Amino acid sequence: MTRFEITDLTALLRESAGADEGVDLDGEITDVPFDDLGYDSLALLQTTGLIERQWEVVLDEEAVSEARTPGQYLEVVNQALNARAAV
Amino acid sequence: MSDATTLDRPREAHRDTPQRPTAVVTGIGVAAPNGLGARAWWDAVLRGENGIRPLTRFDATSYPVRLAGEVPGFVAEDHVRSRLLAQTDQVTRLNLAVAKEALDDAEVDPADLPAYAAGVVTASSAGGFEFGQRELQALWSRGGQHVSAYQSFAWFYAVNTGQISILHGLRGASGVLVTEQAGGLDAVAHARRQLRKGSSLVVTGGVDSALCPWGWVAHVAEGRMSTSNDPDRAFLPFSADADGYVPGEGGALLVLEDARSARDRGARVYGSIAGYAATFDPPPETGGSRLGAAAELALADAGLTPEEVDVVFADAAGERAADRAEAQAICALFGERGVPVTAPKTMTGRLSAGGSSLDLAAALFSLRDQVIPPTTGTDRPADDCPLDLVTGAPRTGVRLRTALVLARGRGGFNAAAVVRA
């Protein structure tokens, strides 16, 4: 089954919103708040749109907005992918 | 009894009262088709270097107009952080680069200022047009899911003010003016008002860019662009051969400061914005241009007489009727060939809101270097434009203390600013 990995997320973040020069997105960032990574809600909105298009999945808007870290965000995406696979 | 006359007269907007704290320019940033950066641009202007060339930003071969002034050598990545690249149009990237240059030039760190003492007032004519075109194309060809979340503000007129404000922490009174070519002066005048209300510093002026097919057809549709393909003969203001303008991108941003706070921090001062006025044209069938009235009111605002003006930077429409109207306005104030007139924008094309703030920068450098930059292209003014037009080479040997900058924005906006050393 397809899993959405942290490297998928960082690639899409870079593509849709760029990357803060002071942040190492390839480091251990799973539990680092998006705020500290330099991403605001609009950056995540933009990235969410890109994921939905590329992965042909619909993400729960509320769950996405509550995800504070990449780890929590990955969970939201993978839950949606699982739910889709289960249909 | 005199009420009727008063009512019939077009209202003179925005005339400021003198005897308030002086607004001085302490920093200048420039992006122009004949030079990126204030120094590169000014050197090119004095060399008479033309920045008008065949358009490269998109394939314009199928359009009736194919010349433009593009800012050369602008690599956005060198000026704008990655996080901002995804959310900005070319016009905002240029604004960010130019604002940084102006603040660096003023040797001021906004972080050292009180929290709400410094703001941003820019002029914009079209917002982020290229970005908007791309997202509209995505909307209509692929659907709403494909539209960037950043479209929500990237297209907007106020976006340049907003991004400059955020990046430099300039949280004081800010705004944006949309009066096309007059905007570069109107913004600076509004910044001056903010200084009078208590701000100590404002980043102000205009930098515009809309060199994309959508922006281009807006210009083409109006039918006032030159269709010449010769970069040296396309934009010829005041010439008998004038046949329209060439559009371009760029402009200038200034750091405008209250004279006292500038003095207190030991800032270098280029000059002051001593006078300003704006007028609005009546409908064409009911009256003529009010540009002359703007100039007259700006001089009154500065407390100066026409005799005290040493050089005029003309709006220079490059269109016969509009050139004549401007020449008449200048001659009415100064007499025929009564004052040196120049239009260095012949080297850049008309830059929308960026045009008049770039002329302010040119006026300030003229006063500093005691030299009048040349008008290129036009080799002599038409007989019906009896101006002392500075053509061919820069003019030196004249004492320059006061400059008058004129601007007209499409739709009837007139603005005039008086700059003093």
Side-chain angles (χ1 to χ4, degrees):
Chain A
M1 194 182 57
T2 342
R3 262 195 76 78
F4 187 76
E5 305 288 350
I6 188 86
T7 46
D8 296 319
L9 178 62
T10 50
L12 290 174
L13 278 168
R14 279 200 181 93
E15 183 184 339
S16 56
D20 197 300
E21 277 74 3
V23 170
D24 179 16
L25 284 183
D26 301 321
E28 184 44 64
I29 58 160
T30 310
D31 299 319
V32 180
F34 282 120
D35 281 349
D36 297 349
L37 296 172
Y39 293 114
D40 53 20
S41 59
L42 209 54
L44 292 175
L45 181 65
Q46 176 75 348
T47 305
T48 299
L50 201 58
I51 293 170
E52 289 189 328
R53 297 202 302 269
Q54 291 191 0
W55 291 68
E56 295 175 335
V57 66
V58 178
L59 302 180
D60 183 84
E61 215 173 297
E62 209 175 306
V64 162
S65 69
E66 280 166 10
R68 295 273 168 269
T69 63
Q72 291 168 9
Y73 191 93
L74 285 182
E75 201 133 318
V76 175
V77 179
N78 281 316
Q79 263 172 23
L81 289 173
N82 288 341
R84 194 188 60 182
V87 173
Chain B
M1 26 139 249
S2 65
D3 283 11
T5 354
T6 317
L7 285 172
D8 284 340
R9 289 188 62 199
R11 227 176 116 223
E12 315 300 0
H14 309 314
R15 188 181 161 188
D16 295 321
T17 34
Q19 292 142 357
R20 306 260 191 82
T22 316
V24 295
V25 177
T26 57
I28 297 176
V30 167
N34 55 347
L36 176 59
R39 173 171 286 187
W41 160 75
W42 184 240
D43 288 349
V45 165
L46 293 181
R47 284 196 303 268
E49 210 169 287
N50 190 5
I52 294 171
R53 292 182 196 88
L55 191 53
T56 64
R57 196 68 53 72
F58 64 95
D59 179 8
T61 47
S62 60
Y63 293 84
V65 182
R66 294 183 286 274
L67 295 178
E70 295 176 347
V71 173
F74 181 71
V75 179
E77 289 75 8
D78 295 347
H79 300 276
V80 181
R81 286 169 13 204
S82 160
R83 282 284 286 112
L84 286 170
L85 284 174
Q87 51 181 284
T88 47
D89 181 86
Q90 162 91 352
V91 76
T92 305
R93 296 167 179 183
L94 286 170
N95 268 275
L96 289 170
V98 173
K100 172 82 165 53
E101 187 192 7
L103 285 165
D104 286 351
D105 186 45
E107 295 182 328
V108 66
D109 183 354
D112 296 340
L113 299 168
Y116 297 99
V120 186
V121 179
T122 64
S124 175
S125 301
F129 228 60
E130 193 175 8
F131 198 110
Q133 174 181 341
R134 193 175 65 227
E135 300 311 320
L136 281 175
Q137 281 176 318
L139 174 66
W140 294 114
S141 61
R142 292 186 286 160
Q145 284 290 94
H146 293 264
V147 176
S148 166
Y150 294 121
Q151 168 69 356
S152 55
F153 58 76
W155 72 274
F156 188 44
Y157 300 97
V159 70
N160 305 317
T161 286
Q163 293 284 25
I164 294 168
S165 161
I166 293 167
L167 187 63
H168 296 287
L170 302 165
R171 294 190 288 165
S174 295
V176 61
L177 286 97
V178 183
T179 56
E180 212 262 322
Q181 193 89 199
L185 301 186
D186 292 336
V188 172
H190 191 64
R192 190 174 67 149
R193 269 177 226 123
Q194 297 303 349
L195 295 182
R196 287 172 176 175
K197 286 180 186 168
S199 291
S200 61
L201 181 153
V202 185
V203 173
T204 185
V207 174
D208 251 334
S209 174
L211 298 180
C212 61
W214 191 26
W216 205 242
V217 292
H219 282 283
V220 171
E222 223 196 353
R224 297 166 85 167
M225 280 201 282
S226 165
T227 51
S228 163
N229 283 318
D230 178 355
D232 295 321
R233 299 286 300 162
F235 181 36
L236 302 171
F238 302 116
S239 161
D241 299 329
D243 191 27
Y245 68 95
V246 173
E249 65 177 349
L253 293 174
L254 315 175
V255 173
L256 198 68
E257 283 188 72
D258 172 68
R260 274 170 311 199
S261 44
R263 203 169 38 235
D264 288 350
R265 70 174 188 89
R268 175 221 29 221
V269 170
Y270 286 103
S272 67
I273 306 299
Y276 161 81
T279 60
F280 198 73
D281 286 342
E285 62 278 12
T286 62
S289 162
R290 300 284 298 154
L291 179 67
E296 219 176 314
L297 290 162
L299 284 173
D301 180 38
L304 295 172
T305 62
E307 292 71 38
E308 290 171 280
V309 173
D310 302 309
V311 59
V312 175
F313 287 77
D315 171 67
E319 194 211 325
R320 291 301 287 122
D323 285 347
R324 257 195 313 271
E326 183 169 30
Q328 274 164 17
I330 293 171
C331 292
L333 260 181
F334 301 98
E336 290 192 5
R337 296 174 192 87
V339 65
V341 175
T342 192
K345 63 175 58 126
T346 45
M347 293 171 245
T348 63
R350 287 178 70 83
L351 309 183
S352 300
S356 53
S357 62
L358 191 63
D359 277 343
L360 278 181
L364 289 160
F365 284 155
S366 285
L367 301 181
R368 181 193 65 185
D369 297 346
Q370 294 291 295
V371 57
I372 302 175
T375 305
T376 59
T378 303
D379 36 32
R380 60 176 289 271
D383 291 340
D384 55 10
C385 296
L387 301 173
D388 174 14
L389 195 66
V390 178
T391 57
R395 185 181 295 179
T396 52
V398 272
R399 188 174 160 276
L400 301 174
R401 172 117 206 279
T402 304
L404 173 68
V405 180
L406 303 177
R408 285 174 293 192
R410 63 184 290 270
F413 299 100
N414 304 301
V418 179
V419 178
R420 297 211 92 191

